[in-house]
């Protein structure tokens, strides 16, 4: 087992590393493939970690690499204490962590506690043991409705489409908020909690620096599993179609969806925090909780719970100055209530890459999945706005999350044919939901032919478009004006000026209208122009970095820049 300790805190720095960390998401299937089978793997990731160090991020978050039938790309876990052979071995994981720490990078792993795979030993045992057994009580088994129990126990829907219940051979039903291969665990069973605390200890002993908690708001369901016949969507999370708290109840009060954001989840994370505190170093818990408004989200960040939560309100904000400013203000105010750092994110493996999402008219950005027959994004507009959006984001105080490939300006692959799509949401909705494969295409590193250095040969589990040749790391490295060089510069200046630990103060720029966002963070002025007219840079300000050209010193439309202010 690896004995590597966490990367050391640099001398002179007192804030814990995670308060301003930029954390880079590695999606193992698609990052780098050492053995040439078309599927990324741990040795591939280790061989490419220098790229992350050169980019200037603080940590990587690794999406799941556990043994898994891969029905949901690894978010269907069959064993929480091992590595999927397709990705490598535990020794490969240890080598990755050791190399990362040697490069000064922290390692955050994914934990999936809401559900297991149907291939997990517990679920197999539950099926074998039969109704009413202790083995079944680790999951949410219920009898069906109707004369012969032929109707599901309630009307809940799966996030991936279709009913949230599947019937087993003896007639009982089990709950799965996601795919039928992902049975939900019953978190009222103390055995489940004990098991996960032990899993945390297993990885903490291996030297991980933190955990990203999948569906953190879903573990505990309302008692009695009350009816909820609304469509579910991954992106809707706690806020059903009718607004932040779901539809109004009969008495006019807002009713919280019975599967999301229930009070009982907080006790789970208090227990997990205590487990982390048994271990030396600054280890963290990060909530993947689709919870709105931010005052609800930050309840996960009280001082005895988690450290960070993804800011999906920011990710979902339309490309409009007013909307962005409202989200930024609401985020900062809510996080101040609990003393937690805010985080910011624009892309991940579940959403349309922001270089394409922002290529649609503001306010009509697609949430999940674009197919060949759908309206296509304006690629040039999308990239231009994406570069500006990232420049704006990395100027904000707090932590930030990047998703592999965004530093190359990679677009969503919208033209994937149906037969190569693997996301279960595509099949479960008969293709109505295009699914998330378009943001998961293996990334290009170098070369003229597929797989563009992803692996030693041409194999990649999803096809890469020919245009990715020009977008590879090698093609963009050292190229003036490339998106990769923009990210490197942003991260270097952000670090140099301590922007992540700074504070935001909005500024009224002379002559700038409501479509311009401008704020000071320490000694840096951040300006983003979302309007049609160019905006003059403030007199005497020196541009430190800009998302595009600044002709005559002015910011054209959809451009953001950071300026050093005269002393
Ligand atoms: C959220 C993950 O990010 C997503 O990829 C997964 O499908 C669901 N949780 C279910 O685990």
């Amino acid at each position: 087992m690896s004995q590597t300790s966490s990367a050391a805190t640099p001398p002179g720095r007192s804030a814990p590393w995670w308060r301003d960390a930029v954390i880079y998401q590695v999606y193992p299937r698609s990052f780098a493939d050492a053995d040439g089978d078309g599927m990324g793997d741990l040795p591939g990731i280790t061989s490419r970690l220098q790229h992350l160090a050169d980019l200037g991020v603080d940590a990587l978050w690794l999406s799941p690499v556990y043994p898994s039938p891969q029905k949901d790309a690894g978010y269907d876990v069959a064993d929480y204490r091992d590595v999927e052979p397709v990705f490598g071995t535990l020794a490969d994981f240890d080598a990755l962590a050791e190399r990362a720490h040697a490069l000064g990078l922290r390692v955050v792993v994914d934990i999936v506690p809401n559900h297991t795979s149907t291939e997990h030993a517990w679920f197999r045992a539950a099926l074998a043991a039969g109704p009413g057994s202790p083995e079944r009580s680790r999951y949410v088994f219920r009898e069906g409705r109707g004369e012969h129990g032929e109707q599901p126990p309630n009307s809940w829907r799966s996030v991936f489409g279709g009913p949230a219940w599947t019937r087993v051979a003896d007639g009982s039903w089990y709950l799965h908020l996601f795919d039928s291969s992902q049975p939900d665990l019953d978190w009222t069973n103390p055995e489940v909690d004990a098991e996960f605390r032990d899993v945390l200890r297993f990885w903490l002993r291996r030297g991980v620096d933190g955990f990203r908690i999948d569906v953190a708001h879903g573990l505990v369901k309302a008692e009695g599993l009350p009816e909820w016949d609304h469509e579910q969507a991954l992106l809707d999370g706690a806020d059903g179609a009718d607004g932040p708290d779901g539809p109004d109840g009969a008495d006019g009060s807002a009713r919280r969806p019975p599967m999301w954001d229930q009070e009982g989840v907080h006790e789970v994370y208090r227990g997990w925090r205590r487990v982390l505190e048994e271990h030396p170093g600054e280890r963290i818990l990060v909530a993947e909780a689709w919870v709105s408004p931010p005052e609800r989200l930050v309840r996960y960040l009280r001082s005895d719970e988690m450290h960070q939560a993804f800011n999906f309100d920011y990710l979902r904000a339309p490309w409009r100055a007013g909307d962005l400013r409202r989200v930024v203000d609401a985020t900062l105010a809510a996080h101040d209530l609990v003393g937690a750092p805010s985080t910011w994110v624009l892309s991940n493996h579940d959403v349309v890459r922001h270089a394409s999402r922002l290529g649609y008219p503001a306010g009509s950005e697609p949430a999940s999945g674009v197919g060949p027959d759908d309206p296509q994004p304006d690629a040039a507009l999308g990239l231009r706005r994406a570069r500006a959006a990232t420049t704006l984001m990395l100027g904000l105080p707090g932590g930030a999350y990047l998703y592999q490939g965004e530093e190359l300006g990679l677009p969503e692959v919208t033209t994937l044919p149906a037969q190569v799509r693997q996301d279960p949401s595509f099949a479960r909705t008969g293709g109505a939901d295009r699914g998330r494969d378009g943001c998961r295409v293996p990334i290009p590193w170098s070369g003229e032919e597929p797989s563009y250095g992803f692996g030693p040969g041409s194999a990649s589990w999803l096809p890469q478009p020919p245009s990715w040749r020009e977008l590879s790391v090698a093609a963009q490295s050292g190229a003036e004006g490339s998106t990769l060089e923009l990210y490197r510069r942003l991260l270097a200046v952000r670090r140099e000026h301590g922007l992540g630990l700074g504070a935001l103060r909005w500024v009224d720029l002379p002559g700038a209208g409501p479509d311009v966002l401008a704020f000071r963070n320490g000694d840096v002025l951040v300006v983003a122009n979302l309007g049609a007219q160019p905006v003059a840079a403030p007199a005497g300000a020196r541009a430190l970095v800009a998302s595009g050209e600044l002709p005559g010193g002015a910011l054209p439309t959809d451009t953001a820049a950071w300026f050093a202010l005269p002393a």
Side-chain angles (χ1 to χ4, degrees):
M1 184 199 294
S2 163
Q3 295 302 314
T4 63
S5 57
S6 308
T9 303
R13 191 191 145 101
S14 55
W17 70 273
W18 45 270
R19 291 197 73 91
D20 62 340
V22 177
I23 303 182
Y24 181 103
Q25 181 187 359
V26 171
Y27 193 65
R29 294 167 71 94
S30 304
F31 191 67
D33 171 21
D35 64 9
D37 64 355
M39 187 65 75
D41 47 43
L42 294 175
I45 297 168
T46 305
S47 74
R48 296 289 191 184
L49 285 176
Q50 187 65 50
H51 170 66
L52 271 60
D54 293 346
L55 188 59
V57 299
D58 300 285
L60 61 127
W61 146 38
L62 200 61
S63 282
V65 291
Y66 308 105
S68 159
Q70 300 286 312
K71 295 280 199 275
D72 183 23
Y75 283 93
D76 48 324
V77 178
D79 179 355
Y80 292 87
R81 294 181 184 82
D82 206 344
V83 167
E84 164 61 36
V86 165
F87 296 132
T89 62
L90 275 173
D92 292 329
F93 178 85
D94 292 340
L96 184 157
E98 195 171 328
R99 175 80 182 127
H101 288 154
L103 289 168
L105 299 164
R106 315 258 174 176
V107 180
V108 174
V109 296
D110 224 304
I111 286 284
V112 188
N114 181 67
H115 43 264
T116 69
S117 161
T118 43
E119 299 294 306
H120 190 282
W122 274 10
F123 195 75
R124 289 161 175 263
L127 288 187
S133 61
E135 288 83 354
R136 286 221 174 165
S137 71
R138 295 164 176 155
Y139 292 92
V140 187
F141 276 91
R142 295 287 184 277
E143 295 312 307
R145 292 174 302 178
E147 204 183 329
H148 307 289
E150 71 283 1
Q151 302 288 330
N154 71 18
S155 53
W156 291 12
R157 312 280 301 162
S158 156
V159 170
F160 292 158
W165 296 92
T166 289
R167 200 173 194 193
V168 300
D170 56 50
S172 290
W173 298 75
Y174 66 88
L175 176 70
H176 52 88
L177 290 181
F178 295 89
D179 188 51
S180 56
S181 64
Q182 296 166 296
D184 278 51
L185 288 161
D186 185 344
W187 276 85
T188 64
N189 182 337
E191 216 188 324
V192 173
D193 191 32
E195 168 68 1
F196 273 89
R197 281 186 284 142
D198 199 54
V199 167
L200 296 182
R201 289 191 185 98
F202 176 89
W203 292 100
L204 288 165
R205 285 196 300 269
R206 292 201 107 81
V208 305
D209 300 285
F211 302 94
R212 175 262 190 196
I213 315 303
D214 189 64
V215 203
H217 59 315
L219 275 49
V220 176
K221 281 75 180 174
E223 213 179 315
L225 310 182
E227 283 300 319
W228 189 261
D229 49 15
H230 299 271
E231 281 301 323
Q232 298 270 1
L234 183 65
L235 299 191
D236 281 351
D239 50 2
D242 298 25
D245 293 325
D248 289 345
D251 62 354
S253 65
R255 190 154 84 85
R256 190 158 295 285
M259 67 292 290
W260 303 131
D261 196 26
Q262 300 295 307
E263 201 51 36
V265 291
H266 296 287
E267 200 43 45
V268 174
Y269 302 128
R270 286 188 199 106
W272 289 16
R273 179 71 174 246
R274 289 194 292 273
V275 171
L276 262 62
E277 284 167 1
E278 289 164 9
H279 295 79
E282 296 167 347
R283 328 274 188 126
I284 64 166
L285 296 169
V286 183
E288 189 230 12
W290 296 84
V291 171
S292 240
E295 292 74 21
R296 285 288 307 178
L297 180 66
V298 299
R299 299 174 82 245
Y300 291 73
L301 305 179
R302 289 172 287 191
S303 60
D304 57 349
E305 296 191 41
M306 305 222 208
H307 299 79
Q308 286 190 339
F310 292 99
N311 185 349
F312 294 125
D313 282 353
Y314 188 72
L315 185 152
R316 286 186 284 183
W319 184 242
R320 285 193 291 245
D323 291 285
L324 287 164
R325 182 167 171 156
R326 260 190 301 281
V327 173
V328 169
D329 283 339
T331 298
L332 293 174
H335 285 72
D336 278 353
L337 294 174
V338 294
S342 48
T343 68
W344 313 99
V345 61
L346 289 165
S347 280
N348 66 30
H349 67 294
D350 290 329
V351 301
V352 174
R353 282 186 175 277
H354 68 286
S356 297
R357 200 172 69 231
L358 300 178
Y360 290 86
S364 64
E365 294 90 348
S368 156
V370 180
D373 301 328
D374 296 327
Q376 297 296 301
D378 176 334
L381 178 73
L383 180 59
R384 182 180 181 85
R385 287 185 171 170
R387 290 168 56 111
T390 302
T391 303
L392 178 66
M393 175 178 90
L394 290 175
L396 292 164
Y401 280 83
L402 305 179
Y403 175 48
Q404 66 178 39
E406 68 166 90
E407 76 278 22
L408 307 175
L410 291 189
E412 182 84 0
V413 181
T414 57
T415 50
L416 290 173
Q419 64 273 20
V420 305
R421 291 192 181 256
Q422 296 194 15
D423 185 349
S425 59
F426 184 78
R428 287 184 66 90
T429 61
D433 181 341
R434 313 287 185 243
R436 300 160 292 175
D437 296 297
C439 65
R440 299 175 175 181
V441 174
I443 65 173
W445 291 94
S446 61
E448 303 293 309
E449 307 283 340
S451 63
Y452 306 116
F454 165 64
S458 61
S460 67
W461 69 279
L462 286 170
Q464 301 155 303
S467 57
W468 285 24
R469 189 166 54 99
E470 284 97 63
L471 297 177
S472 73
V473 173
Q476 296 196 42
S477 266
E480 205 188 320
S482 73
T483 302
L484 177 57
E485 291 302 334
L486 171 66
Y487 270 70
R488 287 178 175 162
R489 174 91 185 129
L490 288 168
L491 290 168
V493 179
R494 179 187 150 92
R495 188 182 296 262
E496 192 186 325
H497 289 260
L499 298 186
L501 291 178
L504 170 146
R505 187 160 59 77
W506 295 107
V507 171
D508 281 327
L509 280 192
D515 295 330
V516 175
L517 293 169
F519 60 85
R520 276 193 70 147
N521 182 353
D523 58 359
V524 171
L525 175 72
V526 177
V527 183
N529 181 11
L530 286 76
Q533 301 307 318
V535 176
R542 179 172 56 88
L544 295 165
V545 52
S547 68
E549 301 283 315
L550 303 180
L555 285 91
T557 185
D558 293 329
T559 302
W562 298 355
F563 298 94
L565 292 169

